Amino acid sequence: RFPRQRAPRSPASGHERASGTETTSRRGRGRLGLRASFVLAVAAGAAFAAAAPPRGWWPLVPLGVAMWVLALRGRTLRQRAGIGAATGLVWFSSSLYWLSDFAVAGYLAVTVVETALLVAVACAVPGSTPGRPWHGWWAVPALLMLLDAAQTAFPFSGFPLPALVLSQLDGPFADAAPVGGSLLVTGLAAAAGAGLAATITATGRQRVVVLAATLAGSVAIPPVGAAVAAATTTATGRLDTAIVQGGGPRGLRAVFTDPQDTADRHLAVARDITASPDLVLFPENVIPSRGPVIGGPNDRAVAELARRLAAPVIAGVTETQGSGFRNAALLWDARGQQTGRYEKEHRVPFGEYIPGRALLEKVTDLTALVPRDAIVGDGTAALDVAGRRLGVVISYEVLFADRVREAVRAGGELVLVPTNASSYVTDDVPSIEVAAARLRALESARSVIQAAPTGYSAVVDPDGTVRALSPLGDPALLREPVTLRTGLTPYTRLGDGPYIILAAAAVAVAWLPAARRRGRIVGSPRPAER
């Protein structure tokens, strides 16, 4: 006679909410428990660190992104922040550990800053709606693209050494660099991982669509880059180059060495050059001078070498000036005359200058290791060498695509990179520089020649292939013909701007369902009281 009444459903207990053990209907189909999410977050950070140079295990980036997407799925804002912190601390503390040999305080500070950037990325991933498809997965690749862009600008005018893209040079996604540079390469690698995670969590027709889109992007887009590079640039000849590596001890700061010993070692190796190459390239910082180098003993020694070989010589020169110093690449022509000069514009923080020096001098002895600040250079990143226009960037600058784009847009037919990573004990930084040189070669479809005092010196072809590589620490002389090219790839013309806009738009679209839901909740009328 009386209708059966259902007992009211009790809400999930506080323990369930905190531990992530809510019922499937509350948390959304397939969402992991909170503990499992943090395990995946740590594993993702380890994968990103293991993928970095010198290992270059590129498949670990898509795998790490897949784990990260699964960890973030269905999590609250606070939980996403914690997941980002867990991933970032593992990733950056591992991949940047080499910094501790240089400055422990700097290592800790950079790890915290980079982790904070990743936390911001995790917080920007849209949350999920119970009973509705989760669109946040496609925001993750776009947000990692924006992280890549942020790392080239912040902190201290950019610190892109832990960028995911540097692990991708031996993978298929790097071939897209002539079209979209590092941002597109990062986006494709991350999209492959995010698509894998979405395929795992999707059902039925949705799974087929996601899988098909992921495979299409991973397989079809990268080969387009090689075709575009070939169509937009033209080979104009070859250049016989000689790259001088003097060798010597590694892991010593410049203040603890005699700079003239470095110059003498390089000049000794250069005596073994035979015939007449088209160009001789010395590394960064190997020709020291108190005041302008012109007229000094090292100027005379390099000029004599140029005249003996009847070949132009480009060498990295350090000139003291007042309380600072100039870091330049100087050109001696075949007659031994100085005819060109490029001064480094993008300085290394805590390596070539001390940010906030006046304050830090009161609390640390770090300034004793960098007693002088480098003077910022000014000029176009190119030199005219025997009728050829050659781009030139110095050391740290090869990590920044805008410096190489300036060199190539100014007419550079190849890119020269005099560098110096002798202060570092491990091979992490030399390997990172080679990876960056390969990426810049792909983006611009230019050969890249790198000379380092203790390695790695390298010759990189326009397709990113390393044709010659020196050993670390030993004297070496690389003699290689390199291809010259003219023309501009789409990325060299457009830069990162279009891809930053596209990434931001993708994030906005992923947030639309949450924004609409919030709008309905805010705008809905309050129920009338009975």
Side-chain angles (χ1 to χ4, degrees):
R1 286 180 168 261
F2 299 95
R4 181 179 297 174
Q5 296 184 2
R6 295 180 180 177
R9 297 177 62 182
S10 60
S13 67
H15 172 73
E16 289 174 330
R17 287 193 297 271
S19 63
T21 59
E22 302 97 332
T23 61
T24 302
S25 61
R26 285 184 60 81
R27 71 189 184 194
R29 182 186 181 277
R31 195 186 78 171
L32 299 170
L34 186 57
R35 183 176 299 174
S37 291
F38 272 93
V39 170
L40 281 181
V42 169
F48 295 153
R55 295 162 297 277
W57 298 336
W58 67 267
L60 291 182
V61 168
L63 179 61
V65 171
M67 291 189 290
W68 209 53
V69 168
L70 293 174
L72 291 168
R73 183 172 185 257
R75 304 265 62 103
T76 66
L77 178 62
R78 181 178 298 179
Q79 291 167 348
R80 294 200 300 275
I83 288 169
T87 302
L89 287 173
V90 173
W91 174 12
F92 299 117
S93 64
S94 301
S95 61
L96 296 176
Y97 187 74
W98 52 266
L99 266 174
S100 62
D101 292 327
F102 187 77
V104 174
Y107 161 66
L108 295 175
V110 171
T111 297
V112 170
V113 170
E114 296 290 343
T115 299
L117 290 175
L118 192 64
V119 169
V121 168
C123 291
V125 175
S128 63
T129 303
R132 293 177 180 270
W134 183 53
H135 301 289
W137 67 271
W138 77 53
V140 173
L143 286 165
L144 290 175
M145 291 171 67
L146 296 177
L147 174 65
D148 185 314
Q151 287 173 327
T152 62
F154 178 83
F156 309 119
S157 299
F159 189 80
L161 278 79
L164 290 174
V165 69
L166 296 177
S167 67
Q168 296 300 298
L169 276 303
D170 291 317
F173 305 111
D175 290 337
V179 178
S182 66
L183 298 190
L184 183 56
V185 175
T186 299
L188 289 173
L196 173 62
T199 302
I200 293 172
T201 59
T203 59
R205 184 180 301 175
Q206 186 184 33
R207 174 176 291 177
V208 174
V209 171
V210 171
L211 181 61
T214 301
L215 290 176
S218 301
V219 175
I221 295 178
V224 173
V228 166
T232 55
T233 63
T234 305
T236 57
R238 295 173 74 81
L239 205 67
D240 178 18
T241 62
I243 303 169
V244 179
Q245 177 175 307
R250 294 182 51 76
L252 293 178
R253 299 297 302 275
V255 293
F256 301 128
T257 61
D258 183 350
Q260 190 57 46
D261 288 345
T262 301
D264 293 340
R265 283 195 295 268
H266 284 79
L267 290 168
V269 171
R271 295 190 190 102
D272 294 334
I273 300 174
T274 57
S276 179
D278 297 319
L279 175 67
V280 178
L281 180 65
F282 279 68
E284 177 191 27
N285 304 139
V286 296
I287 304 297
S289 178
R290 293 185 178 275
V293 69
I294 190 167
N298 285 328
D299 173 34
R300 293 192 292 271
V302 177
E304 180 183 351
L305 173 68
R307 288 192 293 268
R308 179 178 70 81
L309 296 174
V313 177
I314 295 177
V317 173
T318 302
E319 300 172 328
T320 60
Q321 179 176 325
S323 60
F325 70 94
R326 295 189 177 277
N327 185 351
L330 263 62
L331 167 65
W332 283 262
D333 65 15
R335 300 169 300 169
Q337 302 294 315
Q338 289 188 30
T339 57
R341 180 186 187 97
Y342 168 71
E343 292 191 5
K344 189 173 185 178
E345 296 185 21
H346 204 130
R347 304 173 297 170
V348 182
F350 302 103
E352 292 177 312
Y353 79 104
I354 301 294
R357 176 181 287 272
L359 175 62
L360 288 179
E361 284 177 337
K362 300 176 182 178
V363 297
T364 180
D365 60 353
L366 180 62
T367 55
L369 300 177
V370 188
R372 297 171 180 268
D373 286 346
I375 299 168
V376 179
D378 183 24
T380 303
L383 294 170
D384 293 313
V385 182
R388 295 285 191 179
R389 186 80 157 164
L390 307 183
V392 56
V393 296
I394 299 177
S395 190
Y396 191 57
E397 293 183 319
V398 76
L399 291 159
F400 297 88
D402 64 323
R403 302 303 308 138
V404 174
R405 287 182 61 239
E406 177 184 296
V408 175
R409 289 171 66 90
E413 297 178 74
L414 64 81
V415 178
L416 309 174
V417 187
T419 187
N420 187 351
S422 302
S423 298
Y424 302 99
V425 177
T426 68
D427 63 342
D428 292 75
V429 173
S431 298
I432 287 170
E433 288 190 321
V434 172
R438 295 176 66 188
L439 181 60
R440 303 288 92 87
L442 281 164
E443 289 172 345
S444 60
R446 294 296 191 275
S447 299
V448 176
I449 304 175
Q450 180 171 291
T454 60
Y456 291 116
S457 298
V459 176
V460 182
D461 287 336
D463 64 357
T465 302
V466 179
R467 189 195 306 169
L469 187 71
S470 71
L472 284 178
D474 298 333
L477 180 62
L478 303 182
R479 186 73 177 266
E480 293 286 339
V482 297
T483 302
L484 302 175
R485 299 188 74 87
T486 58
L488 302 179
T489 63
Y491 177 72
T492 305
R493 290 183 182 276
L494 301 175
D496 292 328
Y499 297 94
I500 292 175
I501 294 172
L502 286 174
V507 175
V509 170
W511 269 97
L512 277 178
R516 288 171 178 168
R517 185 176 70 255
R518 185 175 295 114
R520 286 196 298 269
I521 293 172
V522 172
S524 61
R526 297 181 63 183
E529 296 183 0
R530 294 185 178 179

